[in-house]
Amino acid sequence: MNPRHFISLLDLSGDELRGLIRRAIELKNHRDPDYQPLKGRVLAMIFEKSSTRTRISFEAGMGHFGGSALFLSPRDTQLGRGEPLRDSAKVISSMVDCIMLRTDKHGTVTTFAEHSSVPVINGLTDEQHPCQLLADMQTYFELRGDIQGKTVAWIGDGNNMCHSYIHAAMRLGFALNIACPAGYRPSPAIVDEAGECVRFFDTALAAAKDADLVVTDVWASMGQEEEQKLREVAFKGYQVNASIMQKAKSDALFMHCLPAHRGEEVSGEVIDGLQSVVFQEAENRLHAQKALLEFLICKK
Ligand code: CP
Ligand code: NVA
């Protein structure tokens, strides 16, 4: 039987997603050190790009569940010397129980999954970051209840995080207001698929109006460091600051996947202010991914 993968949020139904969020909250609130459903199981983690949260949360999660995690980088494996992805996927999946990849090209993860005999998890690509959305949605549900029917404002780059927010809007039934500078909009293919749950606005202020949640991300993602100066000019006017938050509902939350650049995409007073839940969001990477690992590895 083909394994179940988690390459995109769209790999889960809305019910499955809500089930995972509920389970993540349960695991967080009732930690039982004797519950070790992944005893003896191994997660391989392949990182082509840097990470703090993703690496630590997966490694700690496997440890809590009695399993272990292997950190692999292309520099230290034959992946970096050109061994074909399909061969690597067959070999690695013959030895471990699950594989997480953080890669530059989204196609690397999909090709890997095609040839893997165990579940493959997308730990971020240039196109999507679905694990982060599990944590973001868990955080919203914990603080405000179900997000169905709410309004989320995405301000800034139409990047991997924005794409996964579009997928979350499709699966969980919220409206996504997007404000991006010209030339930095999300992929038309992903937007087209979303239909009416996505709306574009010309300014950040307009997108934030009456939002229940305001979200942003860095202006230059990993691999775009050379565009930093150009992007600082293009994204002027797209900083989430107090005037943007004033347009949102008075009880609106602020989220950012981190790492953040204070003074660029978000002002210090917002990210360190009372509406910001970024550290709860970061911690929830651990709980949400434990629920995901249990779902993918234990459920047959
Ligand atoms: N948010 C996130 O994915 O963080 P890391 O890059 O530190 O893993
Ligand atoms: N958009 C960012 C997210 C980092 C977690 C990046 O891809 O670098």
Side-chain angles (χ1 to χ4, degrees):
M1 202 173 84
N2 288 337
R4 190 86 194 260
H5 302 298
F6 184 63
I7 309 295
S8 161
L9 220 55
L10 297 182
D11 291 335
L12 297 176
S13 68
D15 284 349
E16 285 174 329
L17 197 45
R18 285 190 166 82
L20 269 192
I21 293 166
R22 270 197 304 274
R23 181 64 179 145
I25 294 171
E26 192 176 40
L27 287 167
K28 179 178 180 178
N29 293 337
H30 306 283
R31 170 118 195 258
D32 174 4
D34 294 330
Y35 180 62
Q36 302 215 322
L38 300 184
K39 196 158 191 274
R41 306 292 190 104
V42 179
L43 170 73
M45 306 187 298
I46 300 170
F47 282 96
E48 280 182 3
K49 292 174 165 182
S50 308
S51 168
T52 297
R53 281 145 286 268
T54 305
R55 177 177 177 180
I56 296 170
S57 51
F58 271 114
E59 203 161 328
M62 285 302 292
H64 290 179
F65 275 170
S68 59
L70 287 172
F71 174 80
L72 305 166
S73 84
R75 204 183 47 210
D76 312 313
T77 59
Q78 301 291 4
L79 276 165
R81 295 184 60 252
E83 181 164 12
L85 283 176
R86 54 190 300 160
D87 292 358
S88 302
K90 281 184 187 160
V91 171
I92 297 171
S93 66
S94 71
M95 300 180 190
V96 303
D97 302 280
C98 188
I99 302 170
M100 188 239 78
L101 289 100
R102 168 168 286 198
T103 68
D104 187 22
K105 293 193 188 71
H106 190 72
T108 302
V109 177
T110 52
T111 304
F112 217 91
E114 268 170 47
H115 300 283
S116 169
S117 56
V118 300
V120 169
I121 297 172
N122 176 358
L124 179 146
T125 65
D126 56 347
E127 189 182 291
Q128 297 179 41
H129 194 5
C131 288
Q132 183 68 49
L133 260 291
L134 295 180
D136 287 26
M137 293 300 105
Q138 178 188 342
T139 308
Y140 192 89
F141 277 58
E142 282 175 338
L143 294 167
R144 296 283 185 269
D146 202 304
I147 200 163
Q148 183 162 27
K150 305 285 184 188
T151 299
V152 178
W154 176 270
I155 315 282
D157 194 14
N159 63 9
N160 44 10
M161 276 297 298
C162 179
H163 291 152
S164 288
Y165 260 94
I166 294 173
H167 289 159
M170 291 165 70
R171 282 291 181 262
L172 296 174
F174 59 82
L176 185 64
N177 293 353
I178 300 181
C180 302
Y184 296 95
R185 282 191 166 203
S187 148
I190 291 178
V191 171
D192 288 349
E193 215 184 338
E196 290 183 354
C197 43
V198 172
R199 294 174 297 198
F200 285 91
F201 292 82
D202 291 335
T203 64
L205 283 170
K209 189 170 177 320
D210 296 330
D212 298 282
L213 167 64
V214 178
V215 196
T216 191
D217 187 13
V218 288
W219 290 340
S221 284
M222 287 182 274
Q224 297 171 334
E225 289 79 5
E226 283 171 13
E227 297 174 33
Q228 176 68 30
K229 290 287 163 219
L230 183 80
R231 284 171 171 262
E232 280 174 23
V233 176
F235 286 85
K236 203 167 171 288
Y238 288 84
Q239 183 190 77
V240 177
N241 50 35
S243 33
I244 299 286
M245 291 307 291
Q246 268 158 23
K247 285 281 170 195
K249 290 205 180 123
S250 55
D251 67 344
L253 301 174
F254 170 76
M255 292 191 197
H256 187 310
C257 62
L258 304 180
H261 295 163
R262 286 168 176 76
E264 289 183 29
E265 75 275 7
V266 59
S267 67
E269 66 176 333
V270 168
I271 196 168
D272 298 316
L274 293 175
Q275 288 168 282
S276 172
V277 292
V278 297
F279 295 110
Q280 181 170 338
E281 182 189 356
E283 182 196 320
N284 282 342
R285 295 291 305 275
L286 170 68
H287 310 294
Q289 286 159 203
K290 282 170 75 175
L292 176 68
L293 289 165
E294 183 186 53
F295 176 81
L296 292 176
I297 303 175
C298 302
K299 299 214 168 110
K300 294 288 174 210

